[in-house]
Amino acid sequence: MYRILGPFLLIISFTISAQTKVLTADDYMRAENALYYKTTPLVDREMVIPNYFSGDLFWYRNLIAQGSEFILVNPLKGQRTQAFDQEKLARSLSSATGKSYSASMLPFQYFTYTKDATEINFYANGKLWKCDLKNYQCIPKPDNETVRSTPIDKEDGESVVSPDGKMAAFIRKDNLWVRNISTHKDVQLTSDGEKDFGYATDNAGWQHSDRAILRWSPDSKKIATFKQDQRKVNDMYLVTSNVGAPKLKSWKYELPGDSNIMMIHRVIIEVTNPKVIYLDVPADPHRATLSDDISVSGTFDDVEWSEDASQLAFVSTSRDHKIEKVRIADAKTGKVREIFSETVPTQFESGWGTINWKYLSNTNEIIWFSERDNWGHLYLYDALTGKLKNQITKGDWLVSQVLKIDERNRILYFETNGRQKENPYFSNICSINFDGKNLKDLTPEAGNHKVDFSPSEKYFIDNYSKPDVAATIVLRNLEGKIIVPLEKTNISRLLATGWKPVIPFSVKAADGKTDIYGLLSLPKNMEPNKKYPIIDYIYPGPQGGSVGDWSFSPSHGDDEALAALGFIVVRLEGTSNPLRSKSFHDMSYGNMAENTLPDQIAGIRQLSEKFPIDTNHVGIWGHSGGGFATAAAMFRYPDFFKVGISESGNHDNRNYEADWGERYNGLVENSDYDAQANQNYAKNLKGKLLLAHGLLDDNVPPSNTMLVVEALEKANKDFDLIVFPNSRHGYGQYAPYMMRRRWDYFVKNLLGDQPPYEYQLNPTEDPRNELK
């Protein structure tokens, strides 16, 4: 029999032995102090978020111990100064409002300069204000004047604004419309859209919304989009939990092996005199080179207009991601030329974080990303003949993101991984000529580099750090020269609390040869000659990994909190995670159920030789793909993993969206999906397992976990279950509840202690942001 342990029902049965330690609310409070909302406020000068105005001039708000300061940066002069006199403004605003404000705790986070930068405008105390920077007189602005309290994007989330800012395209009753932003007049562009065969549809199954998926032409006169046919695709159903009749949620959701999947008919729409031009190619599967959605970047992916809007370059991806066809369409006739194609034995991807192929219409060239030499590199193609001109980058490292293309000087700027011996996941920013010559490392400092280019793209902000070394932030030019140092992160207040950084490490994979990397969190004040239970946080990918971001952070999920409760916590990037070689990434292609688990076990055993780890008390937990991996660990390696918490797992990839499994496993007819399904191994459970799922999860449908529940019941296995009746994939408002229950479960079943009763986690905001 199992116990349902959820927000609506709680059954507790336990006995406390003489050896059991009873943890108190104070113990949990100390653990909570290690969470991000407690540690981040103790970190000063951590980031620079630029607000650009008047070209490359920008200001940013700097969080410091006392509150915040506003900094102005002039790249041309290499100057970093105060944006305004905060002391004078605080006095003036206090006088005008009758409230008391200090220089470092001003009641706003965002402001705008006037064109001549002699005044600033901001929202505070329920009013709009302007402040003269000569005499610092602050007065309310008339009600009919507006200034935004925060910057916003040009798009409202559903409509897409044209490049000239005059029109917004949106979906209405399965057809595409545009609205004149000035006159608010709506014009219908298409008329033959119908239910499940509409224009610009945003539905990948696992992700869906009402926004329009399209790409405006540079001259704002045409739209590239598609008509998505999902009429024969199966429906997914979820129901709400409420008083009275439940509400049915249904949408189209394809599964691996389905005979019918979502197909897109590519079109170009002329806007001024509405006309739909169908491209002269068969419908494509709803697939993309970067991810398992054609709009994962936020727009219509794998589509690029020529500068004069006369041509449209695009890439067609096969259902199994093995074949990529590069094509160019005539925007007036819809006639399509196939330029070249690439076929791979496993799965193709165009980069990490951004799509790396680019169409250079002025020179009739295409920059193409490929892993054909076992590393992700760039190649230059002739867009007229389809012939390869030259390989641009090469070496035992990879290009992760193309950041900037200087067509005039024929220079590429890009992010790389694998060029630092210390850790292949650390990134650098490099430049190289189109012909593959003159490779330059623009960010030579060790660590993980994150950059942000200025509007002119003549400068970039470089934020670099390591997991255990706080960030340094500088402004560089395109030669990599530091124009002005901006910030050096100060963690002195954090260190004063006894905080310790994570420990980066490397071990050998299960094959005994391959180097793999991870992070270790240790309890404070460890006792000599004592061994500690270990918790393995896992996310096996294969599109991501357990560590994910190798930059500095004061908290990594709740790793440090669990360490404060007496556990050692590990995150390990196993084989088949990305950002390494193609052969590394493909190590478990066709068998996602491997889940990097042999690497996790091998890594923990090696770590136990250096750290006081009790390998007889190993726990594991993960969410989504990590939930899949956790249950697999408990069922396939029951003598090693003793306690597991599996959240929202895709336990049987036949019950998860088609593009995921068919990309990394291959088509159903070519891969044994049944042999990978967790429910088929549930009978092997020996340890303690907690399953959790949101019943309105429209990413990983809850049937995945219910299949495991059913199998455990059939096998007469004890287990625990938490369900969130009206929650989606991430549990929303119940996420703190799930975290607390996770702590309880490990404390009781892995540590052998008794947790405090119903401790309440209280996420709070950084006090430096309280005055708004």
Side-chain angles (χ1 to χ4, degrees), residues 618-629:
V618 180
I620 185 171
W621 84 274
H623 189 94
S624 194
F628 172 39

Side-chain angles (χ1 to χ4, degrees), residues 505 507-512 516 534-538 570-575 593-609 613-616 618-620 629-630 632-642:
F505 66 85
V507 291
K508 295 296 182 182
D511 62 9
I516 53 178
I534 187 169
I535 296 173
D536 184 359
Y537 167 75
I538 187 169
V570 63
R571 290 177 178 239
L572 179 64
E573 301 283 74
T575 54
E594 184 171 300
N595 278 308
T596 76
L597 292 172
D599 299 325
Q600 305 291 327
I601 294 170
I604 289 171
R605 284 176 171 157
Q606 290 171 68
L607 289 171
S608 70
E609 298 173 3
I613 294 171
D614 183 353
T615 55
N616 291 316
V618 180
I620 185 171
T630 294
M634 297 297 294
F635 300 158
R636 293 171 183 263
Y637 303 95
D639 293 322
F640 187 81
F641 295 102
K642 304 301 174 58

